[in-house]
Amino acid sequence: MSGSGYGKTVIDGVIQYLSPSGITCGDPTQAGGCERRWYYKYVLGLKEPFTGSQRIGVDAHTQIEKYLESGEDCMGQIARSARQFFPPLEAGMLLEHRIGKDDLKVAGIRVVGHIDLVLFEKNHVEVLDWKTTKSIKMWAKRSQDLIKTVQMALYAKWAQSFLGFDAVRISHVYMQTQGRPQADKRSVILSAEKIEKRWEEIEARARILSDIAKETDILKVPANRNACSDFKGCPRRNICPITTKDKWPALFAGLRETPKKTNGLSIIDELKARKTK
Ligand code: SF4
């Protein structure tokens, strides 16, 4: 899979770089996250469709960036709804900042990405991401949950380690795309300790993805059944081989990998016995 001009993500079983969206895709703790989906996308190189919702988001981002860069207002009503959260045009800021080649590594792997807005305050730096959503009420995250996203954790680590700030504010500004145009901001300041703790989890996830990248049998790549229907549904549902083991992983915990009869009971018999207990 090639993305944003960086080339293939995985070559000969070795990850060349990781992006926030890439790690999110392969993290079962994130909405829509599934290691097997990550494998389809980045190891087998199967592109995913670009959705109408993503188009709306890209348009709003472009319009806001243009306004903050030049003062030229070509914003539609979705982008304009967030105007109350724009910094003054003369503020010290970076727009659509591209993370540099050697700026940040996760488990030794280059991190790539573009940060929508970096704002320099007196005692801290703020990293902000513009979000579009059908419903702020339903989908906007709580401020304290922003650090649980891969994206904001990566950006916070970049601001801390590359820019050298101890305290980092992470923010989402949500713009609603359906119903009355409106926007809201969620924001929290993180200490160095909090960023470090979350970073350990992100590094652990990167190491898991490194192992998965070397796999040659897709059936050995864990499937996250909980993610199959997230958002508009996984685009690989029509080809993904979901096995009995994928459907009931807890039932299989502790059972042998190769089904065979023991004590007159097959694996299926053992599973049925467990289910009826
Ligand atoms: S269909 Fe489900 S299990 Fe298969 S790759 Fe997609 S999310 Fe993962």
Side-chain angles (χ1 to χ4, degrees), residues 251-268:
L251 280 172
F252 278 81
L255 288 182
R256 292 164 304 282
E257 284 292 316
T258 312
K260 62 180 177 186
K261 290 207 169 204
T262 62
N263 302 327
L265 280 178
S266 70
I267 291 281
I268 298 298

Side-chain angles (χ1 to χ4, degrees), residues 127-169:
V127 286
L128 183 150
D129 200 67
W130 310 109
K131 297 282 182 200
T132 47
T133 177
K134 284 181 180 164
S135 166
I136 290 174
K137 193 175 170 192
M138 280 185 69
W139 299 112
K141 293 188 184 302
R142 299 179 304 171
S143 296
Q144 64 266 38
D145 291 336
L146 296 184
I147 186 64
K148 294 179 186 170
T149 67
V150 172
Q151 180 192 44
M152 299 318 286
L154 281 173
Y155 292 172
K157 180 68 178 177
W158 170 82
Q160 182 205 49
S161 62
F162 182 70
L163 297 178
F165 283 83
D166 275 344
V168 179
R169 176 179 286 284

Side-chain angles (χ1 to χ4, degrees), residues 63-263:
Q63 293 161 14
I64 293 173
E65 186 192 354
K66 189 165 187 180
Y67 175 74
L68 291 177
E69 202 169 49
S70 64
E72 186 185 339
D73 185 351
C74 58
M75 293 182 285
Q77 58 179 7
I78 293 172
R80 191 169 290 114
S81 72
R83 201 167 183 156
Q84 60 189 302
F85 302 112
F86 294 175
L89 295 182
E90 63 279 9
M93 64 178 127
L94 299 172
L95 293 170
E96 269 295 304
H97 180 72
R98 180 178 165 130
I99 297 175
K101 191 169 183 292
D102 299 313
D103 291 4
L104 184 63
K105 292 211 159 92
V106 58
I109 303 165
R110 178 189 175 189
V111 173
V112 302
H114 290 79
I115 306 175
D116 287 348
L117 179 64
V118 183
L119 264 178
F120 296 94
E121 304 289 350
K122 199 170 176 189
N123 298 316
H124 68 269
V125 66
E126 178 175 10
V127 286
L128 183 150
D129 200 67
W130 310 109
K131 297 282 182 200
T132 47
T133 177
K134 284 181 180 164
S135 166
I136 290 174
K137 193 175 170 192
M138 280 185 69
W139 299 112
K141 293 188 184 302
R142 299 179 304 171
S143 296
Q144 64 266 38
D145 291 336
L146 296 184
I147 186 64
K148 294 179 186 170
T149 67
V150 172
Q151 180 192 44
M152 299 318 286
L154 281 173
Y155 292 172
K157 180 68 178 177
W158 170 82
Q160 182 205 49
S161 62
F162 182 70
L163 297 178
F165 283 83
D166 275 344
V168 179
R169 176 179 286 284
I170 55 174
S171 307
H172 277 179
V173 169
Y174 292 94
M175 294 164 273
Q176 188 160 293
T177 59
Q178 287 189 351
R180 181 175 62 87
Q182 55 181 305
D184 203 359
K185 181 173 181 176
R186 307 292 155 85
S187 190
V188 64
I189 291 190
L190 304 172
S191 64
E193 293 75 33
K194 199 150 193 181
I195 296 169
E196 205 50 49
K197 198 162 169 239
R198 179 71 176 115
W199 184 247
E200 286 171 14
E201 295 171 350
I202 303 277
E203 290 221 288
R205 175 51 44 193
R207 283 192 284 273
I208 290 170
L209 294 178
S210 288
D211 289 341
I212 291 173
K214 295 180 180 63
E215 188 53 71
T216 53
D217 179 358
I218 195 159
L219 288 175
K220 290 185 182 162
V221 179
N224 178 18
R225 291 268 300 164
N226 295 327
C228 302
S229 306
D230 281 352
F231 303 113
K232 285 189 172 169
C234 173
R236 302 297 154 230
R237 279 179 302 178
N238 55 343
I239 57 169
C240 180
I242 301 288
T243 64
T244 309
K245 186 175 175 182
D246 293 323
K247 283 183 182 168
W248 296 299
L251 280 172
F252 278 81
L255 288 182
R256 292 164 304 282
E257 284 292 316
T258 312
K260 62 180 177 186
K261 290 207 169 204
T262 62
N263 302 327

